[in-house]
Amino acid sequence: MEKWYDNGYVSFDTETTGVQENNDRIVSASILFYGNFHEMISQREWLINPGIDIPESATAINGLSTSYARTHGIDAAEGIMQILDVLAGYVRRGVPILAFNGSFDLTILFHEAHRHGLEATEEFAELFGPGSPLALIDGLTMHRKAHVKWAGRRNLGALCQAYGVTLTDAHNATADAQAAAQLCVQLTRETPELFEVPASVLHREQMGWYAEQMEELQAYLRASRNDPSIICRPDWPVRR
């Protein structure tokens, strides 16, 4: 049976001004291309001037300050267009995108593209339009499916430690993308009956898994916090 990595894959990560998908901005991004033997073939990195101040809380996490981004970063519209172009080129060739909590990265990219008036481009349509061949392989969704009960934390750093994956510089887009790729490979080897399938099949399966996971998480949070208004949206891979 065809496996999701048979045609190679790209690993994608962003660092942002915050975690509000509709409003926050991409400050850095990395796209790494791997061959079907899991060897890295090429990489692209971006540092972007988001056009707004980067909150100190974000700088404390990713090390990217407002002054640094303004001095060294490229224009936001140009950077977002370049990222769309590179990702669309891979998707066009049937290459899946790997990420950890990848629906966040794709969702913030979707809203950034709208913010900069790029929704009418061919590249945007290839990634986000009806009939897009986009296939996302998401390490977080995969781990939640393989390990419904998990004693430790599920962030990238904790899972890398649990699986012996090297994470050299957490919250650096390139380091996180490398670690996410290795983690997806490790999870596939651990549970091949779930994950050694074609990329399109795994993408479709994850849509269902994610919706179930968010339903369970929502019920848990509502009960534990005594707050029936909490919503965990089931949309995957993009929350529009």
Side-chain angles (χ1 to χ4, degrees):
M1 177 187 289
E2 179 187 343
K3 303 173 182 62
W4 60 259
Y5 50 83
D6 283 348
N7 294 317
Y9 51 92
V10 294
S11 189
F12 176 50
D13 187 70
T14 63
E15 295 300 322
T16 65
T17 60
V19 296
Q20 299 301 314
E21 297 166 334
N22 292 356
N23 299 314
D24 279 308
R25 315 294 173 88
I26 294 173
V27 183
S28 68
S30 186
I31 296 175
L32 314 178
F33 176 53
Y34 290 82
N36 61 340
F37 292 104
H38 311 302
E39 74 283 14
M40 189 193 299
I41 294 173
S42 64
Q43 66 182 73
R44 287 284 304 273
E45 300 173 333
W46 290 265
L47 175 65
I48 294 173
N49 175 5
I52 64 171
D53 288 345
I54 300 172
E56 291 183 3
S57 57
T59 300
I61 293 172
N62 57 40
L64 299 170
S65 67
T66 300
S67 60
Y68 186 81
R70 285 177 178 169
T71 302
H72 301 286
I74 65 173
D75 174 74
E78 176 62 23
I80 299 303
M81 186 64 236
Q82 289 181 16
I83 295 169
L84 288 175
D85 181 58
V86 173
L87 288 178
Y90 284 116
V91 169
R92 193 181 304 130
R93 291 160 46 194
V95 176
I97 298 172
L98 269 64
F100 185 83
N101 193 23
S103 59
F104 172 81
D105 299 281
L106 288 180
T107 296
I108 202 165
L109 178 62
F110 173 88
H111 290 290
E112 280 275 60
H114 271 280
R115 183 173 294 114
H116 295 291
L118 301 173
E119 66 274 12
T121 64
E122 180 180 341
E123 292 80 5
F124 182 91
E126 287 176 322
L127 282 176
F128 302 119
S132 167
L134 169 69
L136 175 64
I137 313 298
D138 177 27
L140 179 57
T141 303
M142 292 166 69
H143 190 268
R144 285 170 169 161
K145 176 63 178 179
H147 298 278
V148 177
K149 304 294 184 182
W150 183 255
R153 301 181 67 187
R154 289 193 202 258
N155 60 41
L156 181 60
L159 291 184
C160 283
Q161 186 173 16
Y163 282 82
V165 171
T166 300
L167 179 55
T168 56
D169 185 11
H171 301 294
N172 169 281
T174 298
D176 284 0
Q178 288 179 309
Q182 294 176 44
L183 182 62
C184 286
V185 172
Q186 293 275 47
L187 289 169
T188 299
R189 289 171 174 165
E190 178 190 52
T191 318
E193 65 274 16
L194 284 176
F195 305 138
E196 280 203 340
V197 296
S200 60
V201 173
L202 186 51
H203 177 91
R204 189 167 57 250
E205 292 281 6
Q206 286 172 108
M207 292 180 72
W209 298 340
Y210 186 85
E212 293 172 358
Q213 291 162 7
M214 290 304 100
E215 183 178 4
E216 293 172 0
L217 179 59
Q218 178 177 285
Y220 168 78
L221 291 175
R222 286 182 174 185
S224 62
R225 299 179 183 179
N226 193 29
D227 184 355
S229 69
I230 291 175
I231 299 293
C232 296
R233 290 181 58 183
D235 319 48
W236 190 98
V238 177
R239 287 171 285 281
R240 299 171 187 262

